[in-house]
Structures are given as C-alpha cells and as structure tokens.
Amino acid sequence: MELIGLINYWIVIVLMMTGFYIVIAHDNLVKKIVGLNIFQVSVFVFYITMAKVKGGTAPILAEGITTYSNPLPHVLILTAIVVGVATTALGLALVVRIRDAYGTIEDDDFENQDGEP
Amino acid sequence: MAAAFSSHLPALQVVLALLAAPLCVVLRRPGAAWMIATVITWALLAIAMVLLGRVLETGTITYALGSWPAPWGIEYRIDLANAFVLVLVTLIGSVVMPYARASIPAEIEEPRIYLFYCMYLLNLAGLLGIAITGDVFNLFVFLEISSLSSYVMISLSRDRRALVAAYRYLIMGTIGATFYIIGVGMMYQVTGTLNMVDLATLIPNLTDNRTVMVALAFLCVGLSLKLALFPLHLWLPNAYAYAPSAVSAFLASTGTKVAVYALARILFTVFGGSVLIDDFGLQELLVVLAVAAMIGGSAVAIYQSNVKRLLAYSSIAQIGYMILGLSMASVIGMTAGLVHLFNHALMKGGLFMVMGCVFFRLSSVQVEDMEGLAKRMPLTMAAFVAGGFGLIGMPLTAGFISKWHLIQAALEKGWWGAVAVILVSSLLAVIYIWRVVEAAYFKPPPKGAAEISEAPLSMLVPMWVMIGMSYYFGIDATLTLDITTGAAETLLGGIQ
Amino acid sequence: MSPEQTILLSILVPFLGAALIPLTWANPNIRETITLITGAILFYLVSSIYPVVAGGAQPSVILFEMLPGLAIAFTVEPLGMIFAAIVSFLWIITTVYSIGYMRGHDEQNQTRFYVLFAIAIGAAIGIAFAGNMLTLFVFYEVLTISTFPLVTHHGTPEAKRAGRVYLGILLTTSIAFQLVAIIWTWSLVGTLDFTQGGILNGKVGGLTAAILLGLYVFGIGKAALMPFHRWLPAAMVAPTPVSALLHAVAVVKAGVFTVLKVAVYIFGVDFLFSIEASQWFLYLAAATVLIASLVAMSKDNLKARLAYSTISQLSYIILGAMLASDLGVIGGGMHIAMHAFGKITLFFCAGAYIVAAHKTEISHMHGIGRVMPLTTAAFLIGSLSIIGLPPMGGLWSKWYLALGALESGHLVIVGVLMVSSLLNVAYLLEIPFKGFFAGAEDNPEPQAHHEHDSDHDHRFDRKQPRQIKEAPLACLIAISITSAGCLILFFYPDPVYNLMRLIVAP
C-alpha cells in the first residue's frame, strides 16, 4: 500500500538515476544533454509531488473549497523549468560550436585532436 | 527622495547589473559595452562599500524585495559575512574591468566582445545575488544566472578547447545546481519555508530527521561541485586554463569564492553549524576532502606545463585551505577561511592577470614558451613572483595572514596533521611557483623568439593594483581581520 | 633626533639606498658613491643609538599593527645593538672591497648586485632591531629572498643548482618549523615580544617546550646547525663579497643571533636550563662543531673550506645559547662579533686570491705568500682570531664559552672547544704556511720548463724574481681594516662585553 502511495517518489528516483546514468555513461554530447534533462525533470516531478495535498485542488478562492494544494512549489518549479530550458539551449549551442570546431560530438575524440591527455 | 533611494541600495546591488546587461547587447559596440560594464561595476563597488559601512555601524540590514514581508516574500539580508563578499566581488570586478579593455580583444573575436560584457554583467548580478539573498531558492536562481553566464564567458575564447571545457563545466555545474534544489525541496518539505532565518529557527531542532539530513547531503554535494571541492573539481582546471585570461582572473577570484560563502551560509546559518560538531561525520569528511585538495591540488600543479592550468590546480588546493578553516567550526578557523577567501581572490586574480599579459604578447602560456621572459617583460614577471610569494605564504603577503590564522586555528584544535598538511602544501607551492620563475629568469629565450615588449600600461596598472592590494592586506591586516572575525562570529552565531 | 626615530630611520636608510641605486645605472661611480654614503649614514645612525643602549635603556618603537594585537615593532637591546653595529660597519668595508672586486673581476649585473645587497643589509638591521618574533620572522624571510639572486648571480647551471639548495633549505626550515613555532608560541602565551627572562617560562610543560625548542633551533636554518647546513657551502658560488658579508656575517649571524634571541628572550636562560632538551641541542651543536671542522679539512676549494669552518663556528654560538648559563650567552654574543671580523677577513683574502691570482684551490696556492704578502699576512691574522689565539679578539669569546661550559658543568664541551681549536689550526694555518714557506721544493718539475709554460703553472717559484702582484687597492684597504679589527677587539673587547653583560645582568 505504502509502495503505491509513494509511487511518485519512486518515479522521481528512477528518472533521476536514469538521467544521471545517461550523463555519466554516454560520450555523445547531445545524449548527455538529454540525460541532464531527464535528471532535471525528475526534480520537477519531485517538487510538484510534494506540493500535492490529499484532496486539495488548485488554490483558487471558491465556494465550498477549503483544501488547496500548495502553490509555492509550482511557482518555484516554473522558475527551475526556465533555468532548465536555458541550460539546455546553451548546452546545445555549445555542442553546435564544438561540432564546428572538431567535426565530432563524441567526447573521446577531442583530446586526441588536441594532442593532450 | 535621497532617503528612499538609499534604503533601496540592497536591491540595486543586483538590479543595476541585471538591467545593464541587455544594454550591452543593444549597443553592440565593444567600447560602449566596456564603458557600461566598468561604470556599473564601480558603482556597485561604491554601493557595496556603503552597505558594508552601514552594517558595521548599525548591524544587519534586511530588505523585503517588492515589499513582500519575509518569510513569504524574498528577503535580502545583509550581515557582515555577505557585505564582505559583496565588497570582494565588486572590488575584483572593478580591477578586472579596466584590464579587460586591452586583454579581451586579444582573446575574444571582435564581433563577440559585446557578448562578453553582457555575460560579465549577468555573472556579476548572479554572484552578488547569491551573496545578498536570504532565501535559499532565490540563491539557486542566482547560482544558475552566474553559472550559465560563466559557461558562455569561457566558451567565448578563441581556443576551441574552451568549448569543450565550457560544455563539461555546464554538465557538472547543472548537476550541482540540481542537487542543490533537491536539497532545498527536501528542506521545504519538512519545514515549509525557504527563508534562511526562518529555516535557521526550525532546522537545528530537526537534525534527527532523516529527510533533513538527506537534504544536507544534497546541498553539500551540490555546492561542493560549484566550489570545486576535491574530488568534484574536475571541471575547473580546463575551464580556467582555456577561458580568456580576464575571465579566468574574474571567475577564479569570485565564482568559487561565492560558492564557498554559500556553503558556509547553509552549514552555519541554516543548519546552525551543529551538524558539523555533532557525531555525524560531516566535519571529518570535509577535513579529509580539504586536506586531499591541499596536497593533491598542489602536487598536480607541479606537473602542469600550461601555467594557467597550474594556477587552476593551485586554486583547488587553496579552496582546500578555505574549507579546512570553515570545517573547524571555530571563530578563528572560520576567520582564517574567510580571510583566505579574500586574500586568495586578490592573489589569484593578480596571477591570472599576469598570465593575460603574457598571453597578450606571447600568445601562449606554456612554461617552455616563457623561458627568458623576465628580461623581455620584467614588470609582468616581477608581478608573477610577487603573487607567487603570496601563494607560498611569505610574510608581508596576504597569504601569510591567512596561513598564520589557519595554523593557529589548527593548533587551537590540536590538529597536528592539519598543521603538517598546511606546511607541506605551502612547500609544494614553492616548487610550482619556482618552476615558472626558473624558466622566466634563468633560461635564455628560445631561439628565434619574437621581439616582444612589456604589456600595455592599461593591463599592467590593474595587474599591479591587484598584486599591490594583496601586499597591502598582508602588511596591515587589521581591517580585513576585523571584518572577517565579525563575519565569522555572525556565521557561527548558531553555535555559541 | 630621538632614539625611536633613529631606529626607524636606520631601517629605512638601506632600503632608500636600494631605491636610489637603480636610478644611477648608467654611472658606476655615482652608484658606488651612493652605496658608500648610505653605508656611512647607516653606521652613523646605528652608532648614535649605542650610548643609549649602553646606558641600559632599550628604546622601542611600534611601527604599525600587522595583525590585531601583534605589531611590527622594534626594540634595540644589547644583543641587537652588537649585531647591527657589526653589520653596518662591515657593510661599508665590504662596499669598498666590492668596488675593487667587482670591477677587477668584471662582473655582470653590478647594479642588481648593489641593490640587493642594500636590501639584504636593511633586512639584517630589521632582524637586529626586531622587537618581537613576528617582526624578526618577516625580516628573516626578506633576507632569504633578497640574498637568493645574489647567490645565483652568475646564472650558470651550477649557480642555479646552488640557488635551489639555498632557497630550498632556508624556506623549508623557516616555513615548516620556525613559523609553526612562532604561531604555537603565540597561541600558547599570547605574546611574541622579546622579554627579559623569557615569555614561555612557567607557561608550558617540559615536552611542549622541548618540541618548541626543536622547531625553533631547526627552523632557524640560517644558523646552519647540522643536518640543515647544506645551503651554506652551496651559497659559495656567489661573488666573494656576497660570501664575505652575507654568508660569513649578515645571513649566518642573523641565524645564530635569532637562536640567541630565542634562548634569552623567548625561553629565558633559566627556563632553558631546566629543559632537558637543551642538552640534546648542546651536544648536537658540539657534534656540528667537530664534524664541520673535519669536513673543512677535506676541502681543497678555499671558499668551501671557509664555509665549513663557518658552520663549525656558528655552532659555537648555538652552543653558547644552549649552555643556558650567563657566561655561555656572553661568550655566544661575543663570538658573533669576533667571528664576524675574523671570517670576513678570510673571505676577503679568498676573494683577493681569485681576483689577483685567479686561484680558488688551496693546493694551487703554494708560494702565494710571496706574491701577495699583505693578503696572506691578513689571512694569518684572521686565522689566528678564528683559532682563538692571542693577540686576537677570538680569544675572548672562546674564553667565555669555556667558562660558561664549566659553569654549567659540561666538561665534555670544554674538551670539544679544545679539539676544535686544534682542528682550526690544522685547516686554516695550512694556507699561510703553504703561501709563505712552500715553494720550489714542492715542485717536481725541472726548472728549465718554467720559461715556457710558466703562464699556466699552478705554483709560484721561489727562484723566480719576486713579482708582487697584490689585489686591487680597494680590496687591500678593506682587508687591512678588518684584520686590524681582529687585533683591536683583543685589546678593547669592552664595548661588546659590556653590552652582553647587560643582557644577563640588567
């Protein structure tokens, strides 16, 4: 029962680990950014999950509604999403320039081309 | 009117730079962008000094952003610790900006120069924001503003290796920031607040709560990534080595320092510092990592042939000094850490500026290309020697003051091993500084070396101002020590 | 002018001189005149403090606060007075000598040489007048750094290697040991002021005191106590005036001076006597005296031999400090003065041999006395003073050291002093003996060949007409003054002795 009640948190953890693994394990720069996105999304889910109050609805003043979900984490995560988008955009822009400069986006190849360890 | 203006000074610290940044993009002309960035930085320095003076006079200043009262709104809260960091950041910026005018065109392509100034201003806004804010989530936002702009600044270099370095920094930095918000989220989950002062009243009673402890772990790891604590430092050497020199000078002396401050803030203000002393192992962990950084960073620095990378590894070691001081959780240890934060910023900033001058004439910062350079660029290399003394910790340099306090703090704790490590690390510094000095002073210039002269005056003067300050604060350290001792007492307020 | 102003001025003057010298780089005459004038002013200033100190006062001045509660401060006490007087007086003499030597030898970078020399002197005066251990440490490191380029003056690979050893040992010991000792002292007793009777007395336990003593004694690498003596022979690649003033007087004396200061004003004689560890260092110093003398005998290079002789003589002073008796301290303090005059004479002579005869090895110096009689006679005087024979000043310091050893009941040390004197005779008198008496009979080559290859012959032939080829006049003047000093100190040791008495019985 508890397992199902916490399903969101399990999803968060699975997503987080998946994303993290991709970032670490893949040499392809674009895949790394995909991994990074998955990693960040898990945090967004985490924030939204913790804002949920059982039986609560959107925090709008209306007749007969007394329980609201906490709006603050939603606001926070909106900011985090913006940051995430900016990071992704910047990361991809860097990848484009790296491809222009090196002709590859595989992480292993740069050192060989620059002749350094 | 004047009174109203002066009461909004805390907001101006962040807003000025934030507003000026797009202005650079609109104007596009490098000269105009430089002018804006310089004037804004100087104005911010003036404001930061006024704020510091006010804090010294009347104590902590609080400022409710948009007049939303804390803990609902975002609160800016300036005590000695962050007023000190504000002054440091703006001071470094104020010296680096005049230097950048000549240095930046040598290392960034002309059409991109205005972008550098835009990014610099955003970075400045971010760093000042981290320092000034009293809200843990707001801190995350500023952390990312400063980080994203750093990635861009690094990638602007003509050297293509800078792109890869910036990319790796981006990946590591984002992971760090994400760890940080996970930690913030967990704290919020337990306490329902994001305000540091509010948290500080709630968290210390919750140290046996597992969520809070996991939050602490996430916060520490996240910030450690940002401040390049060993072994999470891997992004730093290449980023500083291949970034334009003015960028390296600015970031090395502010970026990691502000992250150190943020860590101190979280550990001591939010968690009350008791987590360090309690039987939790965090103190031991931090000490071990700091020690590893001090020895490892210095040892690796010895083997670098790229002098900027050498300085970057040296920074990793010096960050170890700061973390060591911090982790002692005593007033004198914290003072040592904070004063070293300031002193190291001056020394390392100055040294990176030296390398900018070298690059300006030589288009290289490899040790073997610097052979015989002392004859050709005597003022520049003299500055390197002077700054190097500081890293070693010779008396009369600011580095000596830091070391004096750090050793004293370690003795007070009876940590003999730490004393030994501090000394070994300084002796290793002798070796890596020595390698460069020997090449520059005792080797003949390589055959067919181009005739080169000194760097332009507009670079030499700021460089020497920076080095000169590191001596001034080494000879008369009463001012910095008064402020840092006060700051340390503020941060440690929770323990005493 | 009040004594306080004089103190500050006498520290400032050498640095001012150093700042002025580069402005004259085009003109060697003006450059050397400035150095001489600076030296004269400095000596005048230092000697004008003497009556005050001899009268029992200890003028003191605080320059500024470096750390909260810890200032850069100067106090002139008798021991510092002696050291400062010697350094400032011998600086003038050495400058005269340098003019002859550097020009005669056609050295490079002479301006840099004079600038750094002046800075080193300023640092030495700063050490002499330091009012607390922090001030002393600051100037101690300034001295290390400023003398380093003098050691590597020639820029050859050999000089570079020597420079590495020099800087390596001096920096390592001072950073790794001395600094820790200073900070530890500060955190234990909360003061670093040099105080009559010591500041550690009664505040620390025996073990802590022993470790502190070790950190201080080994941390003062300039005192060249074995096993941290290697830098001194290495430094001998420097031009001879550097070896003479810095590595026979200013730098090494700064080291032993610091040891004496620590013994008298940080530990206090009585407290030091009560620490068992002082005995270990006493015997370590005694061992250094003997071992260094033996090594000196094996050295053929004259400057290397003198360097080891210096190591041995320095340990006399450490010995004096570690005897922890009044007479021992008096002997140690007097030996600073006596040895300074003796050893600088010897180094001046060694330099004169290099300039005039281009000889550095003792085995090549047969018959040199007949070519350079004045120099060799001065060498004899210097040697006698080092050995401690009358009528030379060296007698007095050995006398008091021996009395001090008897006073604290260390008969072995008396024996060490005697054996060491005999060893001194063996390795020092060899040079004037060979110079005056050895000659053709040592020369296996038939005489006929001499007309052809006399140019690159190592020896001077007794049968040849006596061609006197002395060192440059400036060198000779310097040598005569210092060797006269050895004699004068025999007849008038009172100023030095009286000052030292003030330390032990104020």
Side-chain angles (χ1 to χ4, degrees):
Chain A
M1 177 61 213
E2 206 185 3
L3 213 65
I4 299 168
L6 293 174
I7 184 100
N8 275 27
Y9 291 100
W10 287 110
I11 291 173
V12 166
I13 291 169
V14 170
L15 281 177
M16 195 181 282
M17 290 305 127
T18 313
F20 205 41
Y21 175 78
I22 297 173
V23 174
I24 294 168
H26 279 270
D27 279 340
N28 184 304
L29 299 187
V30 176
K31 286 184 183 167
K32 269 182 193 285
I33 290 183
V34 171
L36 204 59
N37 268 284
I38 297 174
F39 182 54
Q40 287 181 305
V41 164
S42 74
V43 180
F44 306 159
V45 175
F46 169 62
Y47 267 73
I48 292 165
T49 306
M50 80 189 184
K52 175 70 183 169
V53 177
K54 218 175 224 171
T57 66
I60 302 164
L61 277 177
E63 286 280 326
I65 295 170
T66 48
T67 323
Y68 308 113
S69 284
N70 187 346
L72 189 67
H74 292 85
V75 179
L76 297 181
I77 228 54
L78 215 53
T79 318
I81 289 172
V82 173
V83 172
V85 169
T87 311
T88 309
L90 178 57
L92 289 174
L94 279 172
V95 175
V96 170
R97 285 200 52 204
I98 289 173
R99 190 178 142 76
D100 286 348
Y102 287 88
T104 175
I105 54 167
E106 291 296 322
D107 204 352
D108 280 350
D109 298 346
F110 310 129
E111 271 77 15
N112 302 336
Q113 287 193 30
D114 286 324
E116 284 186 24
Chain B
M1 175 65 202
F5 175 77
S6 100
S7 71
H8 286 295
L9 286 181
L12 283 179
Q13 274 286 288
V14 178
V15 173
L16 264 185
L18 216 49
L19 288 179
L23 216 59
C24 295
V25 181
V26 174
L27 287 171
R28 285 200 169 231
R29 297 228 323 276
W34 172 78
M35 186 65 87
I36 292 173
T38 310
V39 170
I40 293 289
T41 314
W42 288 351
L44 288 175
L45 174 64
I47 296 175
M49 283 182 163
V50 170
L51 287 174
L52 177 64
R54 214 179 278 173
V55 171
L56 281 172
E57 220 169 88
T58 60
T60 308
I61 304 171
T62 52
Y63 176 84
L65 204 63
S67 301
W68 293 95
W72 295 281
I74 292 169
E75 185 191 32
Y76 284 0
R77 196 180 164 81
I78 310 169
D79 57 23
L80 258 184
N82 45 8
F84 167 71
V85 176
L86 293 176
V87 171
L88 169 68
V89 172
T90 48
L91 180 69
I92 300 288
S94 304
V95 183
V96 171
M97 271 302 108
Y99 173 88
R101 188 181 170 82
S103 169
I104 284 298
E107 298 183 50
I108 295 181
E109 278 163 37
E110 159 88 25
R112 295 200 182 120
I113 291 178
Y114 73 95
L115 284 175
F116 162 75
Y117 290 109
C118 171
M119 285 303 144
Y120 159 79
L121 283 168
L122 284 180
N123 195 284
L124 193 62
L127 294 173
L128 294 175
I130 297 173
I132 207 167
T133 189
D135 182 287
V136 282
F137 194 85
N138 196 225
L139 197 152
F140 160 75
V141 175
F142 284 122
L143 199 62
E144 280 310 82
I145 291 179
S146 71
S147 298
L148 284 167
S149 49
S150 319
Y151 312 146
V152 179
M153 285 203 284
I154 291 164
S155 72
L156 283 172
S157 165
R158 285 175 206 256
D159 193 328
R160 66 175 183 176
R161 285 171 293 186
L163 293 171
V164 181
Y167 178 86
R168 289 191 182 143
Y169 183 14
L170 178 136
I171 298 289
M172 301 278 262
T174 308
I175 292 174
T178 312
F179 268 56
Y180 177 80
I181 43 167
I182 295 171
V184 169
M186 289 178 165
M187 282 202 297
Y188 181 73
Q189 210 172 11
V190 177
T191 61
T193 180
L194 294 169
N195 184 289
M196 287 182 188
V197 178
D198 226 15
L199 282 169
T201 59
L202 298 169
I203 294 268
N205 304 323
L206 293 168
T207 41
D208 48 358
N209 180 310
R210 192 182 293 167
T211 311
V212 170
M213 285 300 106
V214 174
L216 177 67
F218 272 109
L219 292 169
C220 282
V221 173
L223 287 172
S224 299
L225 259 166
K226 292 280 181 188
L227 64 85
L229 178 63
F230 182 91
L232 303 173
H233 63 279
L234 294 170
W235 58 270
L236 185 139
N238 279 354
Y240 286 3
Y242 302 125
S245 302
V247 174
S248 308
F250 182 71
L251 286 184
S253 30
T254 56
T256 47
K257 307 292 179 291
V258 171
V260 170
Y261 156 78
L263 181 66
R265 200 39 113 185
I266 296 293
L267 283 181
F268 291 97
T269 301
V270 173
F271 279 80
S274 50
V275 285
L276 273 180
I277 298 162
D278 289 351
D279 187 24
F280 182 59
L282 185 58
Q283 186 172 35
E284 287 79 1
L285 183 68
L286 281 179
V287 170
V288 167
L289 294 181
V291 161
M294 287 157 70
I295 299 286
S298 300
V300 176
I302 293 173
Y303 296 100
Q304 300 305 313
S305 57
N306 179 315
V307 181
K308 273 168 80 177
R309 194 137 93 200
L310 181 156
L311 292 175
Y313 274 108
S314 145
S315 280
I316 293 166
Q318 305 283 334
I319 288 164
Y321 282 70
M322 294 166 216
I323 297 299
L324 180 65
L326 220 126
S327 60
M328 288 178 184
S330 65
V331 170
I332 178 146
M334 179 68 85
T335 307
L338 290 178
V339 85
H340 192 53
L341 190 142
F342 183 81
N343 293 340
H344 178 249
L346 295 177
M347 299 184 293
K348 201 44 79 60
L351 283 170
F352 272 115
M353 286 160 98
V354 169
M355 294 334 289
C357 291
V358 171
F359 190 88
F360 189 84
R361 289 295 185 213
L362 220 54
S363 300
S364 161
V365 288
Q366 297 291 329
V367 176
E368 53 274 17
D369 293 326
M370 287 172 66
E371 284 173 4
L373 199 62
K375 278 264 180 330
R376 296 180 288 171
M377 300 177 76
L379 286 172
T380 307
M381 287 323 291
F384 187 88
V385 174
F389 281 160
L391 287 186
I392 298 167
M394 299 300 291
L396 300 182
T397 66
F400 176 71
I401 305 293
S402 324
K403 210 160 66 179
W404 177 277
H405 282 83
L406 202 56
I407 293 179
Q408 208 185 322
L411 284 173
E412 189 190 67
K413 287 255 166 197
W415 292 0
W416 284 97
V419 176
V421 168
I422 296 165
L423 297 171
V424 169
S425 178
S426 352
L427 293 175
L428 291 174
V430 176
I431 300 177
Y432 62 70
I433 293 298
W434 185 246
R435 280 190 56 224
V436 182
V437 173
E438 193 167 271
Y441 281 85
F442 293 113
K443 297 241 172 87
K447 281 205 179 94
E451 274 301 306
I452 51 169
S453 52
E454 257 308 344
L457 209 58
S458 72
M459 290 169 77
L460 286 179
V461 172
M463 174 179 86
W464 271 105
V465 167
M466 196 77 111
I467 297 285
M469 281 196 293
S470 83
Y471 275 76
Y472 176 79
F473 289 113
I475 291 170
D476 182 2
T478 42
L479 179 67
T480 43
L481 283 170
D482 279 350
I483 295 174
T484 47
T485 310
E489 279 163 359
T490 315
L491 282 171
L492 289 169
I495 302 187
Q496 283 158 342
Chain C
M1 207 161 40
S2 71
E4 285 76 20
Q5 286 166 321
T6 318
I7 295 171
L8 289 182
L9 211 58
S10 47
I11 288 157
L12 193 66
V13 160
F15 290 107
L16 275 183
L20 279 176
I21 292 165
L23 305 176
T24 65
W25 61 276
N27 191 326
N29 290 328
I30 300 181
R31 176 182 70 207
E32 280 140 30
T33 314
I34 289 187
T35 308
L36 278 175
I37 292 175
T38 315
I41 297 176
L42 177 64
F43 183 64
Y44 168 75
L45 289 171
V46 170
S47 50
S48 73
I49 308 175
Y50 172 76
V52 183
V53 179
Q58 300 202 351
S60 174
V61 56
I62 292 172
L63 193 54
F64 59 84
E65 248 189 14
M66 184 164 167
L67 301 158
L70 202 49
I72 295 290
F74 302 100
T75 305
V76 187
E77 44 74 57
L79 193 58
M81 186 66 232
I82 295 176
F83 183 44
I86 293 168
V87 168
S88 58
F89 177 68
L90 290 181
W91 187 27
I92 305 176
I93 312 300
T94 310
T95 308
V96 174
Y97 180 84
S98 305
I99 295 169
Y101 181 90
M102 298 302 274
R103 289 184 178 187
H105 219 223
D106 216 13
E107 291 272 358
Q108 298 293 308
N109 296 324
Q110 290 197 28
T111 303
R112 189 180 74 190
F113 173 87
Y114 284 106
V115 170
L116 289 167
F117 217 125
I119 295 177
I121 295 298
I125 299 288
I127 292 175
F129 288 170
N132 57 42
M133 203 56 211
L134 176 72
T135 313
L136 197 152
F137 182 71
V138 167
F139 283 101
Y140 182 95
E141 293 294 39
V142 173
L143 186 59
T144 308
I145 300 295
S146 62
T147 47
F148 168 75
L150 292 172
V151 171
T152 56
H153 187 82
H154 295 302
T156 57
E158 194 200 351
K160 246 185 328 193
R161 210 166 31 246
R164 260 188 223 158
V165 175
Y166 184 78
L167 207 59
I169 293 183
L170 290 184
L171 277 188
T172 308
T173 50
S174 66
I175 291 178
F177 306 136
Q178 194 184 349
L179 181 61
V180 179
I182 295 172
I183 299 177
W184 199 6
T185 310
W186 167 249
S187 66
L188 280 175
V189 295
T191 177
L192 288 175
D193 291 344
F194 293 125
T195 313
Q196 194 78 42
I199 53 175
L200 287 171
N201 196 357
K203 301 231 174 74
V204 294
L207 182 63
T208 312
I211 300 173
L212 263 178
L213 185 64
L215 287 172
Y216 272 119
V217 172
F218 286 128
I220 303 165
K222 291 193 169 95
L225 186 67
M226 283 182 177
F228 295 108
H229 64 286
R230 291 271 315 132
W231 62 272
L232 184 54
M236 290 303 138
V237 296
T240 307
V242 176
S243 312
L245 183 56
L246 298 178
H247 299 125
V249 181
V251 173
V252 292
K253 292 302 183 308
V256 287
F257 169 78
T258 312
V259 173
L260 273 176
K261 281 276 237 195
V262 168
V264 177
Y265 296 114
I266 299 287
F267 283 88
V269 175
D270 297 334
F271 183 52
L272 193 63
F273 190 71
S274 71
I275 308 169
E276 199 194 342
S278 66
Q279 311 251 336
W280 311 338
F281 291 105
L282 180 67
Y283 285 102
L284 184 62
T288 305
V289 167
L290 293 180
I291 297 172
S293 297
L294 290 171
V295 176
M297 293 179 76
S298 71
K299 294 286 170 190
D300 189 34
N301 182 298
L302 180 54
K303 280 175 76 177
R305 182 175 289 193
L306 293 179
Y308 273 98
S309 160
T310 307
I311 296 173
S312 155
Q313 299 286 321
L314 290 173
S315 277
Y316 275 56
I317 301 164
I318 303 176
L319 208 108
M322 292 303 143
L323 279 173
S325 67
D326 290 355
L327 290 172
V329 170
I330 291 180
M334 288 180 81
H335 202 61
I336 290 186
M338 304 308 174
H339 177 249
F341 276 89
K343 197 44 75 60
I344 202 169
T345 309
L346 297 185
F347 269 108
F348 280 169
C349 295
Y353 291 142
I354 294 174
V355 171
H358 302 290
K359 300 218 179 292
T360 56
E361 309 302 309
I362 296 164
S363 54
H364 297 172
M365 289 181 183
H366 291 257
I368 202 165
R370 286 186 297 285
V371 184
M372 301 173 69
L374 284 174
T375 308
T376 313
F379 196 98
L380 182 64
I381 294 176
S383 306
L384 292 177
S385 185
I386 300 283
I387 296 164
L389 288 177
M392 304 301 159
L395 171 76
W396 295 117
S397 49
K398 282 205 179 169
W399 177 263
Y400 281 106
L401 281 173
L403 283 181
L406 286 173
E407 190 184 46
S408 25
H410 291 289
L411 281 175
V412 185
I413 299 299
V414 182
V416 167
L417 289 174
M418 283 160 66
V419 173
S420 155
S421 295
L422 289 177
L423 291 172
N424 289 343
V425 171
Y427 67 75
L428 282 178
L429 288 186
E430 183 186 354
I431 295 109
F433 270 9
K434 277 189 180 161
F436 282 126
F437 304 120
E441 66 267 27
D442 288 326
N443 190 343
E445 288 177 277
Q447 207 155 8
H449 289 260
H450 268 256
E451 279 157 31
H452 303 292
D453 54 14
S454 59
D455 281 353
H456 46 84
D457 188 7
H458 294 322
R459 299 150 198 258
F460 296 88
D461 194 339
R462 178 179 275 182
K463 302 275 160 51
Q464 272 183 334
R466 274 166 61 147
Q467 286 177 321
I468 297 214
K469 187 165 170 288
E470 267 291 3
L473 182 65
C475 293
L476 281 182
I477 295 175
I479 292 172
S480 347
I481 296 177
T482 55
S483 47
C486 294
L487 278 166
I488 294 169
L489 280 174
F490 175 75
F491 294 106
Y492 301 102
D494 308 12
V496 183
Y497 177 76
N498 289 339
L499 281 175
M500 287 309 297
R501 271 238 71 89
L502 286 174
I503 297 176
V504 293

